[in-house]
Amino acid sequence: PGSIRALHKDYRTATPQNFSNYESMKQDFKLEIPEYFNFAKDVLDQWTSMEKAGKRPSNPAFWWINGCGEEVRWSFEELGSLSRKFANILTEACALQKGDRVIVILPRIPEWWLANVACLRTGTVFIPGTTQLTQKDILYRLQSSKAKCIITSDVLAPAVDAVAAKCENLHSKLIVSQNSREGWENLKEMMKHVSDNHTCVKTKHDETMAIFFTSGTSGSPKMTGHTHSSFGLGLSVNGRFWLDLIPSDVMWNTSDTGWAKSAWSSVFSPWIQGACVFAHYLPRFEPTSILQTLSNFPITVFCSAPTAYRMLIQDMTSCKFKSLKHCVSAGEPINPEVTEQWRNKTGLDIYEGYGQTETVLICGNFKGMKIKPGSMGKPSPAFDVKILDVNGNVLPPGQEGDIGIQALPNRPFGLFTHYVNDPSKTASTLRGNFYITGDRGYMDEDGYLWFVARSDDIILSSGYRIGPFEVESALMEHPSVAESAVVSSPDPIRGEVVKAFIVLNPDYKSHDQERLKKEIQEHVKKTTAPYKYPRKVEFIQELPKTISGKIKRNELRKKEWKTI
Ligand code: ATP
Ligand code: MG
């Protein structure tokens, strides 16, 4: 197994202290891209060989629980055999060929992981969707992706049937259910009889492997094309450096199966490293069951979203998890107040990472590196990250600009290839030789990156540029504030001013609101530059969020500006 050795030449020595030398880490991340690459064959099947040869610890490759006592554990060999059966179902019963697109809308059940691997083995293009999609969303996804097959469960099958006639490309439907349904192939039934003899197709490294929908935080979700090497190889940067995984690790990522984040942390990054993927069915986010799972299972690495950490710290006193040694967060900025409370309660730091559906990890705090609270860490070895002005010139340290990634003359392989069906949007992401992320930030003298805001979220007030996150973090430090969203609001003199929408902690809901508002405003004036304080404050019950839990500031902003 030469390829896995090339990819993992140091996995045995990948100990945290190796990562403290940032420069050597960058040198170390020089992968040669083979002409043909398939993650199932070149990574998963290689781990099977290692496992058989006794060269991998005995922990499973996949470990699933449903919280009600049911468990599934697969070795790499079992994962291989089951996914080959699934692959045969895709090519035979579903009549799919290499390049055909498959939409997979499943909750966190083991079949979701098998579907991932079966698509790799057949070279079909995997398109995940969250189970919270409505009938309208499903129609949009089926039509815009031209998917030939859909795989889902009982819950969403009626929604698919209701729109299927309008989707001319859709010719096969596969249900994961105990019961049969007319017009649908039944996966569980077929798995009982189908052969596990399947030869993985050959895929070129630059052929499309999957299409991920972005979270839709700032508008309609975009379809983002990734190749076999962009995620299959590129995510090794996440696995090795940010998640700090070795084969004996058990990695739990809580994100929904519908997002690229699941590909990041529940599929490719852990399996590249030969680690165990842990999954909990968890249909709803329940802080108590998350804390219990961390206590009861030998999870060593935990990945969750800032929203989840905010909820967890509210629910916990102090916790010592017996195996947990590394916690990471991504998807949104995490408030320093949250990291501090997590550290006080668990004794563990949160290593923030920054990336997009379009990319692998862009920046991260790596084990062994000094964490600067509030910073996203340093550029990942996969990318050359720069701060740019409007003309594409690189800005010096300390100056705020657009976060960009060098993409020309050589496009780095951790970057998406295109937005599907949208060449003009794809082209608009380039400025000079750089891919523009759409996020604003700055780099400090030590090379750490600091997130300021999504470009659209910047508030311009009396000539000042204000990023909402800094104000939200200052607000978080006030004991009454559970969560907040800061947006611009119209003002006849200043043009726009800072407005904070605040969700109060339960103990403060009955307080005198006018007094509380003044107290909070004074608090922000003291903790950050006074011009940033929210001149307008509104207490609300709940913030508008995306399905993945991100704050939708643009929704609040639109409401503000319509009311002039
Ligand atoms: P859409 O592109 O549809 O509006 P989205 O940008 O939220 O949605 P994702 O690709 O899931 O979709 O999220 C990537 C974005 O999330 C980044 O561009 C950035 O704005 C934000 N983000 C991710 N990690 C961090 C982080 N650590 N700190 C700050 N922002 C982050
Ligand atoms: Mg985006």
Side-chain angles (χ1 to χ4, degrees):
S3 49
I4 203 165
R5 254 186 244 126
L7 197 56
H8 303 285
K9 59 186 184 320
D10 72 337
Y11 79 86
R12 274 162 231 275
T13 55
T15 51
Q17 48 283 21
N18 288 8
F19 302 156
S20 56
N21 186 338
Y22 181 71
E23 284 313 314
S24 72
M25 181 175 114
K26 272 198 91 155
Q27 280 307 315
D28 198 38
F29 189 71
K30 291 241 159 57
L31 287 177
E32 282 197 10
I33 307 295
E35 187 185 354
Y36 289 91
F37 178 77
N38 186 292
F39 188 84
K41 177 173 147 288
D42 295 318
V43 175
L44 297 177
D45 294 349
Q46 307 300 334
W47 282 116
T48 303
S49 310
M50 303 279 264
E51 192 177 75
K52 278 189 185 155
K55 291 184 180 159
R56 188 186 167 268
S58 62
N59 62 334
F62 179 72
W63 189 346
W64 175 89
I65 62 165
N66 72 350
C68 305
E70 259 185 81
E71 270 193 40
V72 166
R73 291 189 210 191
W74 294 327
S75 61
F76 276 102
E77 187 174 9
E78 287 162 318
L79 174 68
S81 160
L82 292 165
S83 61
R84 280 193 288 273
K85 287 185 174 194
F86 201 139
N88 281 329
I89 293 170
L90 291 184
T91 48
E92 290 161 18
C94 303
L96 294 173
Q97 291 178 353
K98 188 178 159 191
D100 288 345
R101 295 173 178 174
V102 182
I103 292 199
V104 181
I105 311 178
L106 290 175
R108 294 182 199 88
I109 52 173
E111 287 81 359
W112 183 81
W113 279 265
L114 293 182
N116 266 272
V117 184
C119 284
L120 291 166
R121 291 193 187 282
T122 51
T124 49
V125 178
F126 181 79
I127 310 176
T130 163
T131 52
Q132 293 180 50
L133 296 177
T134 62
Q135 189 170 307
K136 194 168 133 249
D137 300 327
I138 293 174
L139 175 64
Y140 169 70
R141 278 162 164 75
L142 281 168
Q143 286 183 332
S144 54
S145 70
K146 301 190 174 67
K148 283 204 174 156
C149 172
I150 188 159
I151 306 176
T152 192
S153 62
D154 289 314
V155 183
L156 284 169
V160 174
D161 281 336
V163 300
K166 295 185 198 149
C167 308
E168 57 188 42
N169 296 288
L170 184 70
H171 69 59
S172 121
K173 296 179 289 183
L174 185 60
I175 195 163
V176 183
S177 166
Q178 301 296 348
N179 311 308
S180 59
R181 185 178 173 92
E182 213 193 306
W184 291 71
E185 303 287 351
N186 186 299
L187 181 88
K188 283 187 195 284
E189 229 6 80
M190 286 188 294
M191 285 292 277
K192 290 181 195 156
H193 312 292
V194 69
S195 152
D196 70 353
N197 193 357
H198 180 270
T199 309
C200 186
V201 301
K202 272 186 109 176
T203 47
K204 286 209 161 147
H205 81 84
D206 54 359
E207 282 174 315
T208 301
M209 178 193 76
I211 296 170
F212 298 98
F213 282 83
T214 59
S215 301
T217 310
S218 51
S220 285
K222 297 168 286 253
M223 288 192 292
T224 309
H226 276 281
T227 63
H228 286 273
S229 59
S230 63
F231 266 17
L233 277 170
L235 282 169
S236 65
V237 83
N238 294 39
R240 287 170 64 187
F241 301 118
W242 176 49
L243 301 171
D244 189 30
L245 293 165
I246 53 172
S248 54
D249 277 315
V250 179
M251 156 99 216
W252 184 24
N253 163 50
T254 60
S255 59
D256 186 281
T257 50
W259 312 114
K261 183 75 187 318
S262 266
W264 269 37
S265 297
S266 295
V267 180
F268 294 101
S269 315
W271 279 342
I272 283 171
Q273 294 299 98
C276 168
V277 169
F278 184 89
H280 188 319
Y281 175 53
L282 210 70
R284 268 169 295 108
F285 185 88
E286 290 158 7
T288 2
S289 74
I290 292 203
L291 296 173
Q292 267 169 14
T293 307
L294 286 171
S295 306
N296 296 345
F297 292 87
I299 293 152
T300 56
V301 182
F302 178 61
C303 176
S304 207
T307 304
Y309 281 109
R310 279 197 293 269
M311 285 166 79
L312 288 175
I313 55 168
Q314 277 179 32
D315 251 57
M316 66 200 276
T317 45
S318 111
C319 264
K320 286 272 172 285
F321 307 116
K322 62 174 187 287
S323 308
L324 193 62
K325 59 176 177 125
H326 190 40
C327 301
V328 304
S329 151
E332 276 192 300
I334 188 155
N335 319 87
E337 173 70 16
V338 177
T339 359
E340 193 182 321
Q341 283 198 38
W342 181 260
R343 189 183 321 106
N344 292 342
K345 290 176 175 176
T346 66
L348 294 162
D349 282 309
I350 296 175
Y351 288 75
E352 183 174 354
Y354 159 72
Q356 303 183 309
T357 307
E358 291 88 341
T359 67
V360 296
L361 188 77
I362 301 173
C363 310
N365 288 284
F366 306 109
K367 261 285 181 79
M369 202 171 108
K370 182 185 155 211
I371 295 183
K372 294 194 186 186
S375 149
M376 305 192 290
K378 291 192 180 184
S380 116
F383 296 130
D384 204 352
V385 183
K386 295 279 189 288
I387 303 295
L388 305 160
D389 70 8
V390 283
N391 300 316
N393 299 312
V394 176
L395 289 169
Q399 275 196 38
E400 183 204 305
D402 294 308
I403 303 176
I405 293 171
Q406 175 108 36
L408 286 168
N410 300 315
R411 198 169 172 96
F413 63 88
L415 193 57
F416 76 124
T417 44
H418 64 302
Y419 292 123
V420 179
N421 303 340
D422 206 342
S424 64
K425 190 153 230 152
T426 309
S428 73
T429 58
L430 283 178
R431 186 186 302 160
N433 288 341
F434 289 89
Y435 161 73
I436 302 295
T437 57
D439 293 315
R440 307 271 303 172
Y442 62 92
M443 198 180 274
D444 70 15
E445 293 284 350
D446 301 327
Y448 283 70
L449 271 120
W450 298 76
F451 178 82
V452 173
R454 288 171 184 268
S455 306
D456 302 345
D457 284 344
I458 295 270
I459 303 163
L460 292 166
S461 185
S462 310
Y464 289 111
R465 298 172 58 82
I466 300 163
F469 174 63
E470 205 187 336
V471 184
E472 289 161 12
S473 292
L475 286 164
M476 261 310 273
E477 288 173 31
H478 193 273
S480 68
V481 177
E483 293 199 287
S484 70
V486 165
V487 300
S488 68
S489 175
D491 180 86
I493 297 157
R494 293 184 170 80
E496 52 186 79
V497 293
V498 177
K499 171 156 184 180
F501 289 88
I502 295 176
V503 179
L504 289 173
N505 275 320
D507 305 350
Y508 284 82
K509 289 200 169 145
S510 55
H511 283 215
D512 176 341
Q513 307 244 316
E514 272 312 304
R515 258 182 66 191
L516 193 54
K517 180 177 145 183
K518 293 235 157 56
E519 201 186 302
I520 291 172
Q521 286 172 321
E522 284 311 309
H523 160 82
V524 177
K525 278 188 200 166
K526 271 191 238 126
T527 34
T528 160
Y531 70 85
K532 292 179 187 169
Y533 90 92
R535 286 173 191 272
K536 298 186 185 175
V537 171
E538 185 175 330
F539 297 115
I540 53 174
Q541 293 303 321
E542 219 180 347
L543 298 176
K545 289 186 180 166
T546 62
I547 299 172
S548 55
K550 297 190 189 199
I551 300 171
K552 281 178 140 175
R553 292 186 194 80
N554 72 333
E555 218 167 78
L556 293 167
R557 186 167 53 238
K558 276 188 198 149
K559 249 175 45 202
E560 281 303 297
W561 287 86
K562 268 198 208 129
T563 55
I564 313 178

